[in-house]
Amino acid sequence: MTNIAITGASGSVGRQAIEAFSDADLTLFSHSESEDLETTPIEIADRDAVADALEGQDVAIHLAANPDPRAEWDAVSGPNVEGVYNVYAAAVEHGLKRVVFPSSNHAVNMGNTVSPTRPESTSGQPTVVRPNERPDPDTYYGVTKVFGEAMGQYYANRHGLDVVNLRIGWLLTHDELRETVANRDGAGERYARAMWLSPGDCQRVVRAAAVRSLSETPMTAHGISRNSERFLSLTETMLELDYRPQDDAAAVLDDGGDSRDGLETG
């Protein structure tokens, strides 16, 4: 049986990852103790602690990070930079087979914002973004995700590690999506409609990233739902990881939504 370690397990994506692997042997780590989860507290910027944590594991899903897109550099550099190095170094030290690095839409989103100071916004005519195009971070948080993707590329090429850089959109429940859109202007609503990742689709895409065979490493893939107003390409994720998203923000927000395809096929 594959041993899977999840860092940041008590976060929103971490909890969906746990649901996705109800049939696997999971070891859970979080920044602090949680009342409803059996996790081991770990400081992800502590190199020795991370090395000890990943001993005996086969796959690491590295979710531990400061997820605030508006955070200043000092708040993200430790967990989001040092922490990434620590996980990859430990993965090689202990012979792990794969690291899934949940990157972010913020690694490639600057060109489609309405303003450099509004990272969670989308212009009226966004440009399709494909995984193999150059990074375009919109925040310091996005910069750290670009760093993480580059670290994965180095470890894949230098050490032969299987790496999946999974650019997560915006994980919200159906009710959270409706509430978020109700409190935003047009540019903010367009962003939510494009970037939404439903809980069910989150489980599907994280599981696929961890267990599907890779035709190449590293692989960069987009992790959003099948939103009709998306501009992050899903073609590569669907073809390479056999990801089959089932939800669409328009269907939730518009009582049936728009049947048109998104900006790209797949």
Side-chain angles (χ1 to χ4, degrees):
M1 178 178 291
T2 299
N3 296 320
I4 300 175
I6 302 176
T7 69
S10 62
S12 57
V13 178
R15 290 173 181 271
Q16 296 304 324
I18 294 169
E19 292 294 323
F21 292 101
S22 58
D23 58 342
D25 186 2
L26 300 179
T27 304
L28 308 179
F29 300 95
S30 59
H31 186 261
S32 56
E33 293 183 355
S34 176
E35 292 183 357
D36 61 335
L37 289 176
E38 292 186 7
T39 64
T40 299
I42 189 173
E43 175 53 61
I44 203 66
D46 184 330
R47 192 166 302 169
D48 292 336
V50 174
D52 291 342
L54 293 188
E55 185 175 3
Q57 301 299 318
D58 300 307
V59 175
I61 302 175
H62 175 47
L63 293 160
N66 182 335
D68 184 359
R70 293 176 176 79
E72 294 298 327
W73 180 252
D74 287 345
V76 294
S77 59
N80 297 18
V81 174
E82 291 297 330
V84 169
Y85 169 78
N86 293 344
V87 167
Y88 275 109
V92 170
E93 178 182 349
H94 295 302
L96 272 69
K97 301 172 183 176
R98 181 174 300 190
V99 171
V100 178
F101 173 67
S103 183
S104 172
N105 68 90
H106 291 289
V108 290
N109 195 50
M110 180 65 90
N112 282 320
T113 62
V114 297
S115 164
T117 62
R118 291 193 60 190
E120 294 180 338
S121 67
T122 296
S123 65
Q125 295 182 313
T127 301
V128 173
V129 177
R130 298 191 180 277
N132 62 352
E133 295 174 353
R134 68 174 178 81
D136 192 17
D138 57 14
T139 54
Y140 285 132
Y141 170 73
V143 170
T144 66
K145 292 302 183 178
V146 173
F147 169 86
E149 292 183 9
M151 187 66 80
Q153 181 171 0
Y154 171 78
Y155 272 87
N157 293 335
R158 177 68 176 81
H159 297 284
L161 189 66
D162 273 2
V163 172
V164 179
N165 295 315
L166 186 61
R167 291 177 182 159
I168 299 290
W170 196 357
L171 174 60
L172 298 168
T173 66
H174 290 62
D175 287 343
E176 288 170 342
L177 175 63
R178 295 186 187 98
E179 181 180 357
T180 296
V181 166
N183 294 319
R184 287 177 168 252
D185 63 7
E189 178 176 347
R190 288 194 295 271
Y191 176 84
R193 285 174 174 268
M195 294 298 180
W196 184 51
L197 177 63
S198 72
D201 284 338
C202 182
Q203 293 177 31
R204 283 181 274 274
V205 76
V206 170
R207 184 178 179 94
V211 304
R212 290 290 179 181
S213 297
L214 303 180
S215 62
E216 62 179 16
T217 182
M219 183 204 170
T220 300
H222 292 147
I224 57 174
S225 287
R226 195 183 179 103
N227 305 316
S228 57
E229 297 171 59
R230 68 188 181 274
F231 54 85
L232 295 184
S233 170
L234 277 180
T235 300
E236 297 78 5
T237 315
M238 295 173 72
L239 290 176
E240 294 297 322
L241 296 181
D242 197 28
Y243 169 53
R244 295 295 179 262
Q246 297 181 15
D247 299 311
D248 182 348
V252 176
L253 297 170
D254 301 337
D255 191 24
D258 189 335
S259 62
R260 296 175 300 171
D261 290 335
L263 292 174
E264 49 87 24
T265 58

